Amino acid sequence: MSRTRPTRRHVLQSAAALSALGPLAALVPPAAAQERRFAPEPGAWRRFEVTTTLNVADAQGGARVWVPLPDVDTGYQRTLGHDYTSNGSARLVADPASGVRMLYAEFPAGVAAPTVTVTSRIETRNRATDWTQRGAPAEDPAVLRAYLAPSELKPLDGIVRKTALEATKGAGSSDVEKARAIYRWVVVNAHREPKTRGCGTGDVKGMLESGNLGGKCADLNAIFVALCRASGIPARDVYGVRVAPSAFGYRELGANPANLKGAQHCRAEAYLRGHGWVAMDPADVLKVMRQETSDWIKDAAHPLVAPVNRGLFGGWEGNWMAYNTAEDVRLPGSAGKGTLGFLMYPNGENASGRFDELAPDAFRYVISARELS
Protein backbone atom coordinates (compact mmCIF):
# COMPACT_ATOMS: atom_id res chain seq x y z
CA MET A 1 0.00 0.00 0.00
CA SER A 2 1.47 3.38 -0.97
CA ARG A 3 1.42 6.26 1.44
CA THR A 4 1.46 9.97 0.71
CA ARG A 5 3.77 12.07 2.81
CA PRO A 6 2.07 15.08 4.41
CA THR A 7 2.99 18.33 2.69
CA ARG A 8 3.79 21.57 4.52
CA ARG A 9 0.27 22.75 3.61
CA HIS A 10 -1.29 19.68 5.24
CA VAL A 11 0.77 20.18 8.38
CA LEU A 12 -0.25 23.83 8.60
CA GLN A 13 -3.90 22.88 8.11
CA SER A 14 -3.65 20.34 10.94
CA ALA A 15 -2.09 22.93 13.21
CA ALA A 16 -4.81 25.41 12.35
CA ALA A 17 -7.50 22.83 13.14
CA LEU A 18 -5.95 22.16 16.55
CA SER A 19 -5.71 25.88 17.24
CA ALA A 20 -9.40 26.31 16.43
CA LEU A 21 -10.26 23.68 19.02
CA GLY A 22 -8.72 25.85 21.75
CA PRO A 23 -8.85 24.08 25.13
CA LEU A 24 -10.57 21.10 23.50
CA ALA A 25 -7.40 20.33 21.57
CA ALA A 26 -5.97 18.56 24.60
CA LEU A 27 -8.78 16.03 24.31
CA VAL A 28 -7.89 15.14 20.72
CA PRO A 29 -4.99 12.73 20.10
CA PRO A 30 -2.58 14.01 17.41
CA ALA A 31 -3.62 11.26 14.99
CA ALA A 32 -7.24 12.44 15.24
CA ALA A 33 -6.46 16.14 14.91
CA GLN A 34 -8.00 16.33 11.46
CA GLU A 35 -11.46 15.61 12.79
CA ARG A 36 -13.33 15.09 16.06
CA ARG A 37 -15.59 12.09 16.58
CA PHE A 38 -19.36 12.31 16.81
CA ALA A 39 -21.06 9.04 15.94
CA PRO A 40 -24.08 8.10 18.08
CA GLU A 41 -25.07 4.46 17.61
CA PRO A 42 -28.15 2.69 18.99
CA GLY A 43 -27.21 0.63 22.01
CA ALA A 44 -28.03 0.26 25.67
CA TRP A 45 -30.88 2.22 27.20
CA ARG A 46 -30.05 4.89 29.79
CA ARG A 47 -32.50 5.62 32.59
CA PHE A 48 -33.06 9.14 33.93
CA GLU A 49 -35.16 10.77 36.60
CA VAL A 50 -36.03 14.34 35.60
CA THR A 51 -37.50 16.71 38.20
CA THR A 52 -39.14 20.10 37.65
CA THR A 53 -39.80 22.26 40.72
CA LEU A 54 -41.90 25.35 40.21
CA ASN A 55 -42.61 28.13 42.73
CA VAL A 56 -45.11 30.89 42.05
CA ALA A 57 -43.65 34.15 43.33
CA ASP A 58 -46.72 36.31 42.70
CA ALA A 59 -50.02 34.43 42.89
CA GLN A 60 -52.14 37.63 42.99
CA GLY A 61 -55.15 35.96 44.53
CA GLY A 62 -54.77 32.72 42.59
CA ALA A 63 -52.57 31.10 39.99
CA ARG A 64 -52.47 28.27 37.46
CA VAL A 65 -49.40 26.43 36.14
CA TRP A 66 -48.73 23.82 33.46
CA VAL A 67 -45.65 21.57 33.33
CA PRO A 68 -44.87 19.57 30.17
CA LEU A 69 -44.44 15.82 30.62
CA PRO A 70 -42.37 13.45 28.50
CA ASP A 71 -45.12 12.04 26.30
CA VAL A 72 -43.12 10.14 23.67
CA ASP A 73 -42.74 6.36 23.53
CA THR A 74 -40.69 5.28 20.54
CA GLY A 75 -37.62 3.31 19.58
CA TYR A 76 -35.44 5.94 21.23
CA GLN A 77 -37.44 6.84 24.37
CA ARG A 78 -39.71 5.08 26.84
CA THR A 79 -41.71 6.83 29.56
CA LEU A 80 -41.78 4.84 32.81
CA GLY A 81 -44.01 7.05 34.97
CA HIS A 82 -44.57 10.34 36.76
CA ASP A 83 -44.90 11.45 40.39
CA TYR A 84 -45.97 14.89 41.53
CA THR A 85 -46.67 16.85 44.71
CA SER A 86 -48.23 20.27 45.18
CA ASN A 87 -49.85 22.45 47.83
CA GLY A 88 -52.52 23.24 45.27
CA SER A 89 -54.91 21.10 43.24
CA ALA A 90 -52.84 19.16 40.68
CA ARG A 91 -53.81 16.64 38.01
CA LEU A 92 -52.74 15.29 34.63
CA VAL A 93 -54.52 16.93 31.68
CA ALA A 94 -54.25 16.96 27.89
CA ASP A 95 -54.94 19.48 25.17
CA PRO A 96 -57.94 17.96 23.32
CA ALA A 97 -56.73 19.11 19.89
CA SER A 98 -53.07 18.11 19.98
CA GLY A 99 -53.37 15.39 22.63
CA VAL A 100 -50.23 16.61 24.40
CA ARG A 101 -50.18 15.77 28.11
CA MET A 102 -49.07 18.02 30.95
CA LEU A 103 -49.45 18.48 34.70
CA TYR A 104 -51.92 21.22 35.62
CA ALA A 105 -52.03 22.79 39.09
CA GLU A 106 -54.40 25.42 40.46
CA PHE A 107 -53.69 27.57 43.51
CA PRO A 108 -56.67 29.45 44.99
CA ALA A 109 -56.26 32.69 46.88
CA GLY A 110 -54.72 32.19 50.30
CA VAL A 111 -52.28 29.41 49.38
CA ALA A 112 -48.93 30.44 50.82
CA ALA A 113 -45.93 29.94 48.53
CA PRO A 114 -47.65 27.95 45.74
CA THR A 115 -45.39 25.15 44.54
CA VAL A 116 -45.45 21.99 42.47
CA THR A 117 -42.81 19.31 41.89
CA VAL A 118 -43.00 16.83 39.01
CA THR A 119 -40.64 13.86 38.63
CA SER A 120 -40.63 11.78 35.45
CA ARG A 121 -38.69 8.58 34.86
CA ILE A 122 -37.67 7.81 31.31
CA GLU A 123 -35.32 5.64 29.31
CA THR A 124 -33.51 6.99 26.29
CA ARG A 125 -30.85 5.88 23.84
CA ASN A 126 -28.90 7.02 20.79
CA ARG A 127 -30.33 7.04 17.29
CA ALA A 128 -28.64 6.43 13.97
CA THR A 129 -30.00 5.52 10.54
CA ASP A 130 -28.53 2.70 8.50
CA TRP A 131 -29.00 4.17 5.04
CA THR A 132 -28.22 0.80 3.41
CA GLN A 133 -31.32 -0.74 4.97
CA ARG A 134 -34.94 -0.12 4.01
CA GLY A 135 -38.24 -1.59 5.07
CA ALA A 136 -39.22 0.37 8.17
CA PRO A 137 -42.82 -0.27 9.32
CA ALA A 138 -45.34 1.95 7.56
CA GLU A 139 -46.76 4.89 9.48
CA ASP A 140 -50.48 5.58 9.90
CA PRO A 141 -51.53 7.70 6.88
CA ALA A 142 -53.47 10.03 9.21
CA VAL A 143 -50.27 10.75 11.15
CA LEU A 144 -48.38 11.51 7.95
CA ARG A 145 -51.15 13.85 6.78
CA ALA A 146 -50.99 15.70 10.11
CA TYR A 147 -47.24 16.30 9.69
CA LEU A 148 -47.71 17.53 6.13
CA ALA A 149 -50.18 20.20 7.24
CA PRO A 150 -49.37 23.84 7.99
CA SER A 151 -49.43 25.22 11.53
CA GLU A 152 -49.78 28.78 12.78
CA LEU A 153 -46.00 29.26 12.77
CA LYS A 154 -45.30 27.05 9.75
CA PRO A 155 -47.40 28.08 6.75
CA LEU A 156 -46.49 26.13 3.64
CA ASP A 157 -47.43 28.54 0.88
CA GLY A 158 -45.93 31.82 -0.31
CA ILE A 159 -42.33 32.41 0.68
CA VAL A 160 -42.09 29.04 2.46
CA ARG A 161 -43.01 27.15 -0.70
CA LYS A 162 -40.72 29.38 -2.78
CA THR A 163 -37.80 28.74 -0.42
CA ALA A 164 -38.46 24.99 -0.42
CA LEU A 165 -38.22 24.95 -4.21
CA GLU A 166 -34.97 26.91 -4.01
CA ALA A 167 -33.52 24.59 -1.36
CA THR A 168 -34.31 21.42 -3.32
CA LYS A 169 -33.37 22.73 -6.79
CA GLY A 170 -31.03 20.20 -8.36
CA ALA A 171 -31.71 17.57 -5.70
CA GLY A 172 -32.75 14.11 -6.78
CA SER A 173 -36.35 12.96 -6.77
CA SER A 174 -36.19 10.81 -3.62
CA ASP A 175 -37.31 12.19 -0.30
CA VAL A 176 -33.89 11.32 1.19
CA GLU A 177 -32.17 13.50 -1.40
CA LYS A 178 -34.65 16.33 -0.88
CA ALA A 179 -34.32 16.15 2.91
CA ARG A 180 -30.53 16.19 2.61
CA ALA A 181 -30.71 19.25 0.35
CA ILE A 182 -32.97 21.08 2.81
CA TYR A 183 -30.72 20.15 5.74
CA ARG A 184 -27.71 21.47 3.82
CA TRP A 185 -29.59 24.65 2.87
CA VAL A 186 -30.40 25.40 6.53
CA VAL A 187 -26.79 24.83 7.63
CA VAL A 188 -25.46 27.07 4.84
CA ASN A 189 -28.03 29.89 5.02
CA ALA A 190 -29.12 30.09 8.67
CA HIS A 191 -27.08 30.77 11.78
CA ARG A 192 -27.21 30.41 15.53
CA GLU A 193 -27.96 33.71 17.28
CA PRO A 194 -26.95 33.48 20.96
CA LYS A 195 -28.92 36.63 21.89
CA THR A 196 -32.27 35.04 20.93
CA ARG A 197 -34.40 34.53 24.03
CA GLY A 198 -35.04 30.95 25.07
CA CYS A 199 -35.09 28.60 22.10
CA GLY A 200 -36.75 31.15 19.82
CA THR A 201 -40.35 31.41 18.64
CA GLY A 202 -40.31 29.27 15.48
CA ASP A 203 -41.91 31.95 13.27
CA VAL A 204 -40.79 30.54 9.93
CA LYS A 205 -42.62 33.00 7.67
CA GLY A 206 -41.37 35.97 9.66
CA MET A 207 -37.75 34.81 9.44
CA LEU A 208 -37.90 34.10 5.72
CA GLU A 209 -39.63 37.40 4.92
CA SER A 210 -37.15 39.39 7.00
CA GLY A 211 -34.18 37.60 5.50
CA ASN A 212 -32.76 37.24 9.02
CA LEU A 213 -32.30 33.50 9.51
CA GLY A 214 -30.59 33.85 12.89
CA GLY A 215 -32.15 32.17 15.90
CA LYS A 216 -32.01 29.13 18.11
CA CYS A 217 -33.23 25.56 17.85
CA ALA A 218 -36.99 26.23 17.76
CA ASP A 219 -36.36 28.69 14.93
CA LEU A 220 -33.75 26.82 12.93
CA ASN A 221 -35.27 23.34 13.08
CA ALA A 222 -38.69 24.88 12.39
CA ILE A 223 -37.31 26.16 9.09
CA PHE A 224 -36.12 22.65 8.26
CA VAL A 225 -39.50 21.13 9.17
CA ALA A 226 -41.52 23.70 7.23
CA LEU A 227 -39.37 23.35 4.10
CA CYS A 228 -39.70 19.56 4.29
CA ARG A 229 -43.49 19.77 4.55
CA ALA A 230 -43.64 22.25 1.69
CA SER A 231 -41.62 19.72 -0.34
CA GLY A 232 -44.07 16.88 0.39
CA ILE A 233 -42.00 15.25 3.18
CA PRO A 234 -43.81 14.70 6.51
CA ALA A 235 -41.74 16.33 9.23
CA ARG A 236 -42.10 17.48 12.82
CA ASP A 237 -40.28 19.29 15.59
CA VAL A 238 -39.61 17.28 18.75
CA TYR A 239 -39.52 19.46 21.86
CA GLY A 240 -37.46 18.41 24.87
CA VAL A 241 -34.55 19.07 27.21
CA ARG A 242 -30.92 17.92 27.41
CA VAL A 243 -30.32 15.83 30.54
CA ALA A 244 -26.61 14.92 30.49
CA PRO A 245 -23.25 15.88 28.98
CA SER A 246 -22.35 14.70 25.50
CA ALA A 247 -20.36 11.46 25.43
CA PHE A 248 -18.35 12.91 22.54
CA GLY A 249 -16.90 15.86 24.41
CA TYR A 250 -18.91 18.62 22.73
CA ARG A 251 -19.74 21.15 25.42
CA GLU A 252 -22.65 22.68 23.49
CA LEU A 253 -24.30 19.32 22.82
CA GLY A 254 -24.77 18.45 26.49
CA ALA A 255 -25.95 19.90 29.79
CA ASN A 256 -25.19 19.94 33.49
CA PRO A 257 -27.79 17.55 34.96
CA ALA A 258 -27.76 19.31 38.34
CA ASN A 259 -29.24 22.45 36.80
CA LEU A 260 -30.91 22.28 33.39
CA LYS A 261 -31.78 25.97 33.20
CA GLY A 262 -31.61 26.86 29.52
CA ALA A 263 -31.16 23.19 28.51
CA GLN A 264 -34.43 22.99 26.58
CA HIS A 265 -33.74 21.84 23.04
CA CYS A 266 -35.91 21.25 19.99
CA ARG A 267 -34.91 18.55 17.54
CA ALA A 268 -36.59 17.43 14.30
CA GLU A 269 -37.69 14.32 12.45
CA ALA A 270 -38.53 13.66 8.81
CA TYR A 271 -40.48 10.66 7.54
CA LEU A 272 -38.46 9.15 4.70
CA ARG A 273 -39.90 6.27 2.72
CA GLY A 274 -38.25 2.99 3.56
CA HIS A 275 -36.58 4.44 6.67
CA GLY A 276 -39.50 5.70 8.75
CA TRP A 277 -39.08 8.65 11.12
CA VAL A 278 -35.47 9.78 10.86
CA ALA A 279 -33.63 11.98 13.38
CA MET A 280 -32.50 15.43 12.21
CA ASP A 281 -30.88 18.40 13.94
CA PRO A 282 -29.37 21.11 11.72
CA ALA A 283 -29.82 23.55 14.61
CA ASP A 284 -27.18 21.75 16.67
CA VAL A 285 -24.76 21.85 13.73
CA LEU A 286 -25.17 25.62 13.71
CA LYS A 287 -24.78 25.74 17.50
CA VAL A 288 -21.42 23.96 17.32
CA MET A 289 -20.33 26.30 14.53
CA ARG A 290 -21.22 29.42 16.54
CA GLN A 291 -20.56 28.50 20.17
CA GLU A 292 -18.33 25.44 20.63
CA THR A 293 -15.21 27.62 20.41
CA SER A 294 -14.56 31.32 20.91
CA ASP A 295 -14.41 31.72 17.13
CA TRP A 296 -17.49 31.55 14.91
CA ILE A 297 -16.80 28.69 12.52
CA LYS A 298 -18.35 29.46 9.13
CA ASP A 299 -17.56 26.20 7.32
CA ALA A 300 -19.44 22.96 8.06
CA ALA A 301 -16.45 21.05 6.69
CA HIS A 302 -14.31 22.29 9.59
CA PRO A 303 -12.84 19.29 11.48
CA LEU A 304 -14.74 20.23 14.64
CA VAL A 305 -18.06 20.54 12.81
CA ALA A 306 -17.93 17.92 10.04
CA PRO A 307 -18.67 14.85 12.20
CA VAL A 308 -21.61 16.64 13.84
CA ASN A 309 -22.91 17.75 10.45
CA ARG A 310 -22.82 14.13 9.24
CA GLY A 311 -24.08 12.55 12.45
CA LEU A 312 -27.11 14.78 12.96
CA PHE A 313 -28.50 13.95 9.54
CA GLY A 314 -30.09 10.66 10.54
CA GLY A 315 -29.05 10.43 14.18
CA TRP A 316 -28.81 12.09 17.55
CA GLU A 317 -27.37 11.42 20.99
CA GLY A 318 -29.52 9.95 23.77
CA ASN A 319 -28.53 12.54 26.39
CA TRP A 320 -31.84 14.30 25.76
CA MET A 321 -35.46 13.75 26.77
CA ALA A 322 -38.38 14.45 24.41
CA TYR A 323 -41.55 16.04 25.73
CA ASN A 324 -43.79 16.04 22.65
CA THR A 325 -44.21 16.95 18.98
CA ALA A 326 -47.29 19.15 19.49
CA GLU A 327 -48.04 22.43 17.71
CA ASP A 328 -50.70 25.09 18.30
CA VAL A 329 -51.23 23.96 21.89
CA ARG A 330 -54.05 25.19 24.14
CA LEU A 331 -53.48 25.06 27.89
CA PRO A 332 -56.54 23.45 29.55
CA GLY A 333 -58.00 25.78 32.15
CA SER A 334 -56.14 28.86 30.92
CA ALA A 335 -57.87 32.23 30.96
CA GLY A 336 -56.03 33.09 27.76
CA LYS A 337 -57.75 32.38 24.47
CA GLY A 338 -54.72 31.93 22.26
CA THR A 339 -52.49 28.97 21.53
CA LEU A 340 -48.81 28.27 22.12
CA GLY A 341 -46.68 27.48 19.10
CA PHE A 342 -45.23 24.60 21.13
CA LEU A 343 -45.01 23.35 24.72
CA MET A 344 -41.39 22.99 25.86
CA TYR A 345 -41.37 25.14 29.02
CA PRO A 346 -43.41 25.29 32.21
CA ASN A 347 -46.15 27.88 31.84
CA GLY A 348 -48.19 29.82 34.37
CA GLU A 349 -50.56 32.71 34.86
CA ASN A 350 -52.17 34.84 37.55
CA ALA A 351 -54.85 37.55 37.47
CA SER A 352 -52.51 39.85 35.55
CA GLY A 353 -51.91 37.35 32.77
CA ARG A 354 -49.30 34.87 31.55
CA PHE A 355 -45.91 34.49 33.23
CA ASP A 356 -42.78 34.74 31.12
CA GLU A 357 -41.83 31.08 30.57
CA LEU A 358 -38.49 32.14 29.09
CA ALA A 359 -37.39 33.70 32.40
CA PRO A 360 -36.88 30.73 34.76
CA ASP A 361 -35.36 32.91 37.48
CA ALA A 362 -38.31 35.31 37.54
CA PHE A 363 -40.91 32.57 37.03
CA ARG A 364 -38.91 30.48 39.52
CA TYR A 365 -38.68 27.02 38.11
CA VAL A 366 -35.73 24.62 38.21
CA ILE A 367 -35.20 21.43 36.19
CA SER A 368 -32.64 18.79 37.14
CA ALA A 369 -31.85 15.23 36.07
CA ARG A 370 -30.31 12.20 37.69
CA GLU A 371 -29.10 9.14 35.81
CA LEU A 372 -30.25 5.91 37.42
CA SER A 373 -28.22 2.73 37.40
Side-chain angles (χ1 to χ4, degrees):
M1 178 185 298
S2 63
R3 297 186 178 181
T4 303
R5 292 188 60 186
T7 64
R8 172 177 170 78
R9 179 185 178 193
H10 291 150
V11 172
L12 290 175
Q13 286 175 335
S14 298
L18 275 174
S19 176
L21 293 179
L24 291 174
L27 301 176
V28 185
Q34 288 294 324
E35 190 169 270
R36 289 282 299 280
R37 180 174 179 271
F38 182 83
E41 292 291 341
W45 290 89
R46 300 171 69 181
R47 182 172 296 189
F48 293 93
E49 187 176 81
V50 183
T51 300
T52 301
T53 301
L54 188 152
N55 298 285
V56 179
D58 185 9
Q60 288 192 9
R64 292 171 289 274
V65 300
W66 297 262
V67 180
L69 300 173
D71 196 27
V72 173
D73 283 283
T74 66
Y76 65 86
Q77 181 171 310
R78 300 190 293 223
T79 301
L80 305 179
H82 313 286
D83 296 314
Y84 55 89
T85 61
S86 176
N87 58 356
S89 173
R91 64 185 187 275
L92 300 182
V93 299
D95 169 25
S98 67
V100 63
R101 297 197 307 154
M102 62 201 84
L103 183 79
Y104 171 50
E106 295 177 315
F107 302 96
V111 174
T115 184
V116 61
T117 297
V118 185
T119 298
S120 297
R121 294 172 302 282
I122 59 101
E123 290 181 329
T124 184
R125 64 177 179 177
N126 293 346
R127 298 179 69 180
T129 301
D130 183 349
W131 297 107
T132 68
Q133 300 296 317
R134 296 178 63 88
E139 178 62 279
D140 182 343
V143 171
L144 297 182
R145 286 194 298 272
Y147 291 113
L148 279 169
S151 69
E152 291 183 15
L153 294 175
K154 300 183 185 79
L156 304 182
D157 56 359
I159 194 168
V160 179
R161 174 62 177 161
K162 178 181 177 182
T163 306
L165 291 172
E166 174 190 332
T168 56
K169 184 178 181 180
S173 59
S174 77
D175 50 4
V176 174
E177 292 169 316
K178 289 180 180 178
R180 192 179 297 278
I182 293 168
Y183 180 98
R184 185 183 304 115
W185 188 94
V186 174
V187 171
V188 169
N189 291 279
H191 66 273
R192 168 86 174 186
E193 176 45 68
K195 294 181 181 179
T196 297
R197 295 188 70 232
C199 289
T201 62
D203 181 3
V204 174
K205 180 181 178 182
M207 287 186 287
L208 293 177
E209 287 182 339
S210 72
N212 179 7
L213 302 188
K216 289 187 180 174
C217 55
D219 300 314
L220 306 173
N221 282 337
I223 295 174
F224 172 80
V225 167
L227 296 184
C228 281
R229 291 181 184 178
S231 302
I233 301 170
R236 59 195 182 192
D237 288 293
V238 191
Y239 302 100
V241 62
R242 303 185 203 268
V243 295
S246 170
F248 299 96
Y250 284 86
R251 181 188 67 251
E252 295 298 328
L253 301 186
N256 174 10
N259 185 354
L260 301 180
K261 182 174 71 174
Q264 284 92 349
H265 179 56
C266 163
R267 287 175 164 172
E269 291 182 311
Y271 186 84
L272 306 179
R273 286 186 293 273
H275 301 287
W277 286 107
V278 175
M280 300 283 174
D281 200 343
D284 259 357
V285 180
L286 294 168
K287 186 176 189 183
V288 168
M289 294 173 72
R290 184 67 184 267
Q291 293 182 220
E292 189 67 28
T293 71
S294 59
D295 296 324
W296 183 354
I297 301 169
K298 300 293 183 67
D299 184 1
H302 186 283
L304 184 68
V305 180
V308 174
N309 189 34
R310 286 195 304 271
L312 292 178
F313 183 84
W316 66 43
E317 193 174 353
N319 62 334
W320 171 87
M321 178 184 78
Y323 285 125
N324 58 72
T325 61
E327 300 172 310
D328 301 340
V329 177
R330 292 190 181 276
L331 299 175
S334 173
K337 302 301 182 184
T339 61
L340 300 176
F342 51 84
L343 181 65
M344 188 164 51
Y345 301 91
N347 276 259
E349 64 186 25
N350 59 18
S352 295
R354 187 75 55 81
F355 300 146
D356 184 355
E357 73 272 18
L358 300 184
D361 292 330
F363 187 11
R364 296 189 182 177
Y365 67 83
V366 176
I367 306 174
S368 62
R370 181 169 67 98
E371 187 162 6
L372 306 176
S373 57

